[in-house]
Amino acid sequence: MAGCLDGIKVLDLGRYQAGPRCAMILADLGAEVIKVEEPGGDESRGLGRVYWSAYNRGKKSITLNLRSEQGKTLLRELVPTVDMLLQNFRPGVMDAMGFGYDTLKQLNPRLILINVSGFGQHGPYKHRPAYDPIGQAMSGLMGFTGIQDGPPVMTGAPIIDRITALHATIGALAALHRRDMTGQGQALDVCLLDTGYTLMEIPIAQYLLSEKEPQRHGNRAGGIAPCNTYKAQDGWVYLLAVPQHMWGRICRAIGRQDLIDDARFNTIPGRATHAEEIDALVAAWVKDRTVAEVVQVLEREEVPVGPVHSIAQAAHDQHLWARSMLVESEDPDSGKTFVPGLTVKFSETPGAVGPIPRPGAHNEEVYCQRLGRNVEDLKRWQEEGII
């Protein structure tokens, strides 16, 4: 099915999440993405059938030992055939393997090199290893999350990895546009800690101006009330009202029209100052109702509200399936599984969710058809541990 990036070819040397998810999005947009796995398969396949499939469905798979000279020779032959190369080794590793950007640029001046790392290609911490939680910890996000006086709290989903993947994708698409105008490729540098800093840019900037440490608000957003989780008879709901007219809607919904013009609550800062009182009013109304009743009443008043779902409830939510945000797929080794659907819905170039490859499933297609090698070469390389 047609995609916006039809004809674009990508070599994906990424592992784990941030890098592979960028390449997955490029594949969703129509690019031909070739996943380079070590012989026997990418190490992150060991993290479970759902994990690897989620970030690598829709790609082709070749196996290649980049520590071998023959493996490096094959990579050098592949580089001129692609538009982008994605890697998330620590800075210096690609140079040590003989594939620094200057070398890659000589092989293919139009190549876009997507570098994804923990701390970036320059900076005091560039050589440190990192995963998503390190970005959450060092950016201030973990310390800023949770209830006041409680311990630091990590987000339940790896938002640093996910947003870094988006930064890498945005950069790759911008570089592709620039290459279309100039004919020249370039190298990109995105990293996990930078992503954390972007998430914390407002609290950090506020601190630099005021030298006052921003405080945690638990499930509240700072400066807004009501804005919290509230316990109903059979679960929790989240609701919030930002503009002043929405406070009026809340008051009508809970049968307290007398509070609409109450001087304590008639401005947004005033409501924030009296957040405890507002929380108590809303909590008292919610506790005698079911989640469905609360949602129904507040939806009718056009107040933003949602049930706080468990994973099981989210998995069975009709909106998830109506939007095809997860789709059923077939793992060639373990059978039925579920993988991410297409995040962006295009009217003319919808793209498609591709299958899950086995390690090296496309060795013959890539090495023989693209590089002109023969089946005997493949057999020999397999015996020598090169592919």
Side-chain angles (χ1 to χ4, degrees), residues 101-218:
Y101 179 56
D102 288 341
T103 301
L104 293 171
K105 190 164 55 174
Q106 288 179 358
L107 293 170
N108 181 358
R110 291 172 57 80
L111 183 73
I112 295 164
L113 174 61
I114 308 167
N115 293 302
V116 180
S117 62
F119 295 96
Q121 302 302 303
H122 65 85
Y125 309 138
K126 69 176 186 178
H127 291 300
R128 292 189 187 180
Y131 292 106
D132 173 286
I134 303 300
Q136 293 194 35
M138 292 183 65
S139 66
L141 173 60
M142 194 179 290
F144 191 60
T145 304
I147 59 173
Q148 201 162 16
D149 301 324
V153 175
M154 186 180 78
T155 64
I159 58 172
I160 297 280
D161 273 329
R162 300 301 179 82
I163 297 174
T164 302
L166 293 177
H167 291 167
T169 306
I170 293 165
L173 296 177
L176 191 62
H177 175 66
R178 180 69 181 171
R179 193 192 71 173
D180 286 345
M181 294 191 297
T182 66
Q184 297 297 312
Q186 58 182 308
L188 317 179
D189 174 11
V190 300
C191 72
L192 303 183
L193 189 53
D194 283 359
T195 294
Y197 288 143
T198 66
L199 290 168
M200 298 305 296
E201 56 204 7
I202 290 178
I204 290 174
Q206 286 174 332
Y207 169 77
L208 290 172
L209 289 174
S210 68
E211 294 191 356
K212 293 180 181 176
E213 184 83 31
Q215 299 300 304
R216 298 179 194 162
H217 297 283

Side-chain angles (χ1 to χ4, degrees), residues 20-78:
R21 202 167 204 285
C22 166
M24 183 202 80
I25 296 170
L26 296 173
D28 288 352
L29 296 174
E32 177 190 10
V33 178
I34 300 172
K35 178 80 176 178
V36 180
E37 303 191 62
E38 58 194 85
D42 176 9
E43 65 185 59
S44 48
R45 282 183 182 269
L47 295 175
R49 55 186 289 202
V50 170
Y51 184 94
W52 195 90
S53 301
Y55 304 121
N56 294 286
R57 90 285 185 276
K59 302 177 185 177
K60 295 178 177 177
S61 171
I62 61 172
T63 47
L64 188 60
N65 182 353
L66 292 174
R67 295 182 181 85
S68 70
E69 287 306 314
Q70 182 61 56
K72 293 176 182 177
T73 297
L74 289 169
L75 184 63
R76 278 191 287 271
E77 292 179 22
L78 284 169

Side-chain angles (χ1 to χ4, degrees), residues 313-335:
Q313 289 170 321
H316 293 293
D317 191 296
Q318 60 178 341
H319 205 76
L320 170 74
W321 302 105
R323 297 284 298 169
S324 299
M325 291 307 296
L326 276 179
V327 297
E328 187 174 322
S329 186
E330 188 73 12
D331 187 303
D333 294 317
S334 54

